[in-house]
Every structure is written in C-alpha cells, then in structure tokens.
Amino acid sequence: MEDLAIMYHYVQTPKWRGIVPLDPIDFELQIEWVTKHFEVVDPTDLGKQRSSKPFCVLTFDDATKDQYEVAFQILSRKGLPAYFTVMSGPFVERKVPIFHLIHAALSFFSDEQIWDELNNRYDVKDVPEKCQIYSYETSLFRRYNKYALNFHLSEQESREFLEEKVLSIFHSFENFIDSYYINENEFIKMRQAGMTLGVHATHHRPFSGDARAFFDSEIEPCRQFMREKLGVEAKWYTPAFGGGNQAERMMKELRGILENHGFVGAFTTKPGLNSGLDSFWLNRYDCISLPPRSEFPWK
Ligand SMILES: [Zn+2]
C-alpha cells in the first residue's frame, strides 16, 4: 500500500465565514510536496505500471466554484491531472443541499442576525441546551444556528428560511447556483483540459440502505446529466458523505451494481493508502491531514 489519494473541498482564501477552506497558498505548497514524493495521475492510470514513485490522485468533492477558479487553474498551469465530481441536483432541479445553503447563509449574515431571525419565526428555545455536538464552534450563536438548521427545524423549514436568505443576496436562484457551483461550460473546459469527471450525487444524500433504489435516485440521474450535458461517460464515483452512517453496507451492496453499469472504482472518506486498483473502494486522506498543514501521517 503506497499510493495516495487526497480529498479536497473548498480551495480558496478564507473570504467566507461559513467554512474552513484550504488556502490557495497551502494548496500550491501541498502540490509541491506531492510532486516531490508521488507521480500525480488520473484515477484510471492507477492501474498502469509504476515508475520510480508511487501514484497520487487529487480528488475534488462538491464542485464548488473555487475548484474551477483556483485549483483547476493552478493544476492546468502545472500540467497535472485531477479528478473532479459532479452533483446534478442544483442544475436539473434548482435544488441546493441544505448543508451548502447553510455554508452560504452563514457566510453572508452575522450569527447574531440569523439567531434573532430564527427566534422571531420558530420555536427554538430548546436549541441552546441541545447543541453540544457543535461545541467545537467558538461562537455560541453559530452553535445554535447550526443545530437549529441541521436538526431542530424540519428540512422544509430550514430550506425555506435559508433560500430566502440566499435569495436576498443573489437575487435569483439561477444566479446563486451559477456563483456557487462549477457550471456546464466550465466542466466542459475542464474535461477538454484532460481532467477526469465523475459522479458525486444527485441530491447529496447519504446511502439509504437500499442499493438499487439509491443507485436509481442518487447516481444514475447524475450520470445521465453528465452524458447529456457534459459529453462524459462517468466511470468513477465518490459517494456523498462517504456513504454516511451506513458506509460499510454501501461498500458491500452497491459495488456490484456500480460495476454492472461500467464504473471502475470509487473514492471513500476512509483515511489510508491504496495499492493501484486492487480495491474498488479507494481510501483518501483529507488535504488538511497532509503537509503543509499536518505531518505526513504514516511515517
Ligand atoms: Zn460532498
């Protein structure tokens, strides 16, 4: 086991308060470290004969705009391949997953303001004593807001509240989606530049426990979108939330269905190295657990 896969989400200067991105300077330093120790390849090349160095695949989840504007530009300049994933729901149904709406809303409004508005509209008096899972957040109001929006309100209530906040900044949903995500033209440019595009999700739901139904609702519609709009026949898959609570079951029960539909492999959120394409489900290290942000974890 010596090949590395790295998982990236946002790569941008920390201009938004809702998220903890990897700074572009750290991204460049990481790429320097990677190219010193590994040969950067696209996922399919994991199956080829190694030269002197082990392989590294750079993988990007969620297709947020910064990945096109920052990471893709840096990688193109250096002539390095990478693997980016598509989430089709926002384009096809104009529906943005709740966790992205939260990132966006918490970026543009103060925690106090959001908490005040939640209090005016909903019964959230139990939230302060229940929100311990967010104790890593230093701001109290941020803890309350995250708990209220993720767990206390119904999905419908959270969605209504958050969409209204986001619309007050971006004016139209189309405008928000185009600002927040890599769009069709940009994906096509990335494909033409040699990047590998794979399936992330339709709606970004965790594995449901029913492999067939999950494939039909979360994987196939995204693949169809990629075929029709991007001209790509997707062969790689990255499950949303790494599959979620039922990740182990997902790995057992979904693999055969994916292989029958021509998928070659998939990237999990389980940390660890890989050995070529010996395993269908490949391990990944999060970018912040590697240099320059952290020590090399396995040496
Ligand atoms: Zn994701």
Side-chain angles (χ1 to χ4, degrees):
M1 302 282 247
E2 47 182 343
D3 300 328
L4 173 68
I6 309 180
M7 169 171 63
Y8 294 98
H9 287 92
Y10 299 95
V11 180
Q12 62 186 17
T13 41
K15 58 178 175 182
W16 286 17
R17 290 166 301 175
I19 50 169
V20 186
L22 185 69
D23 192 285
I25 294 163
D26 284 346
F27 180 71
E28 290 226 42
L29 287 171
Q30 184 154 87
I31 296 302
E32 265 175 45
W33 171 80
V34 164
T35 50
K36 212 179 278 172
H37 300 279
F38 298 87
E39 182 187 351
V40 177
V41 296
D42 61 48
T44 307
D45 277 344
L46 285 172
K48 73 175 189 185
Q49 196 71 28
R50 273 192 208 87
S51 51
S52 54
K53 292 174 184 173
F55 294 136
C56 175
V57 178
L58 309 170
T59 77
F60 293 83
D61 292 14
D62 295 342
T64 49
K65 194 66 121 193
D66 53 288
Q67 295 178 358
Y68 175 78
E69 289 176 344
V70 180
F72 169 61
Q73 308 303 331
I74 292 171
L75 294 170
S76 307
R77 212 167 57 228
K78 294 176 183 285
L80 296 172
Y83 163 63
F84 293 84
T85 54
V86 178
M87 172 168 59
S88 58
F91 305 110
V92 177
E93 300 169 29
R94 303 278 133 193
K95 213 169 176 192
V96 172
I98 295 276
F99 78 104
H100 274 163
L101 288 171
I102 294 176
H103 289 174
L106 294 184
S107 298
F108 289 104
F109 299 92
S110 75
D111 293 308
E112 288 90 331
Q113 189 185 347
I114 298 259
W115 181 240
D116 273 352
E117 288 182 31
L118 285 170
N119 268 286
N120 291 337
R121 284 173 59 170
Y122 306 101
D123 177 5
V124 289
K125 63 178 184 314
D126 293 346
V127 167
E129 60 188 58
K130 282 187 178 165
C131 64
Q132 294 91 345
I133 60 157
Y134 290 114
S135 54
Y136 65 87
E137 291 284 358
T138 46
S139 151
L140 267 186
F141 292 121
R142 165 132 324 180
R143 285 183 208 174
Y144 301 166
N145 292 336
K146 279 196 160 180
Y147 188 85
L149 293 163
N150 278 311
F151 296 105
H152 187 75
L153 302 185
S154 70
E155 183 173 337
Q156 189 55 31
E157 287 170 331
S158 283
R159 180 170 290 283
E160 267 169 30
F161 179 84
L162 291 163
E163 286 184 352
E164 197 181 292
K165 299 309 298 168
V166 163
L167 278 180
S168 72
I169 301 283
F170 288 94
H171 309 297
S172 78
F173 227 59
E174 282 67 21
N175 196 5
F176 169 59
I177 288 168
D178 193 63
S179 310
Y180 202 81
Y181 295 109
I182 300 172
N183 66 30
E184 285 177 28
N185 288 334
E186 292 160 346
F187 271 128
I188 289 168
K189 279 190 202 150
M190 294 166 86
R191 190 204 72 200
Q192 288 167 341
M195 299 297 164
T196 299
L197 304 182
V199 170
H200 191 34
T202 306
H203 308 103
H204 210 279
R205 302 224 164 92
F207 182 63
S208 61
D210 180 338
R212 185 77 247 174
F214 184 76
F215 181 85
D216 290 345
S217 64
E218 279 298 298
I219 299 171
E220 185 54 28
C222 179
R223 201 186 195 200
Q224 190 80 22
F225 169 81
M226 293 175 69
R227 191 180 291 136
E228 284 167 11
K229 303 291 183 185
L230 310 180
V232 172
E233 193 58 40
K235 293 191 169 359
W236 290 88
Y237 173 52
T238 302
F241 306 116
N245 293 334
Q246 302 195 72
E248 289 301 321
R249 184 166 172 196
M250 173 195 74
M251 288 192 251
K252 265 193 229 108
E253 296 175 12
L254 196 58
R255 176 180 175 168
I257 298 174
L258 288 166
E259 284 177 331
N260 285 340
H261 287 82
F263 282 87
V264 175
F267 289 91
T268 67
T269 51
K270 232 178 164 177
L273 293 170
N274 302 301
S275 188
L277 286 176
D278 286 359
S279 169
F280 182 86
W281 299 103
L282 297 162
N283 300 317
R284 290 188 294 174
Y285 281 102
D286 190 282
C287 58
I288 59 162
S289 67
L290 298 168
R293 297 283 293 272
S294 309
E295 293 292 306
F296 207 32
W298 55 88
K299 279 195 175 155

